[in-house]
Amino acid sequence: MTDLRVVVDGHELTATWTGENTETREAITDALPLEGDAARWGDELYFRTEIDVPAEDAQAEVPVGTIAYWPQGNAVCLFWGPTPASRGDEPRAASPVNVVAQVEDVSTLSAVDGGATIRIEHA
């Protein structure tokens, strides 16, 4: 079942909530729709939000397709490949993030530049 619709510069993606970090997920759900101009950091896009929740079960290394909240930067992040902090091909955040959702297909994201507009909304 699809929970979220994620639009990145016209590329429409779908995502499902994970069972992790329920406080963060609730804060994001309450703030939907979220939209922002993203910065690109390797194969990660992130944009700042008004959401302010602490680290829950935060982790630095995340699976491909992860949507996470970065407590240190009050930002929502989308990972699809290695970042400058990676030790190989795995996505790795600059500092631990709260994983909240998983994008089903990230194949279109490699063509996206920094400055992309991201919108996350209920599916």
Side-chain angles (χ1 to χ4, degrees):
M1 181 175 126
T2 299
D3 298 311
L4 298 169
R5 180 175 176 254
V6 182
V7 181
V8 181
D9 270 1
H11 302 277
E12 190 169 323
L13 312 170
T14 57
T16 53
W17 294 116
T18 64
E20 307 168 76
N21 303 307
T22 55
E23 182 181 339
T24 304
R25 184 180 70 204
E26 288 172 11
I28 290 173
T29 298
D30 291 346
L32 291 177
L34 288 171
E35 188 167 336
D37 292 328
R40 185 166 176 174
W41 192 61
D43 286 348
E44 172 195 351
L45 289 171
Y46 66 94
F47 65 98
R48 302 218 183 271
T49 69
E50 297 297 317
I51 297 168
D52 187 11
V53 293
E56 287 186 83
D57 185 19
Q59 59 195 67
E61 188 175 326
V62 298
V64 169
T66 292
I67 296 175
Y69 172 76
W70 182 36
Q72 198 170 22
N74 291 49
V76 172
C77 311
L78 173 57
F79 297 89
W80 70 92
T83 67
S86 294
R87 297 181 184 142
D89 289 337
E90 88 287 353
R92 181 176 291 273
S95 59
V97 294
N98 298 345
V99 173
V100 293
Q102 185 68 35
V103 172
E104 294 160 12
D105 179 9
V106 296
S107 61
T108 61
L109 292 176
S110 292
V112 175
D113 293 324
T117 300
I118 297 179
R119 181 175 173 87
I120 301 173
E121 57 192 34
H122 296 285

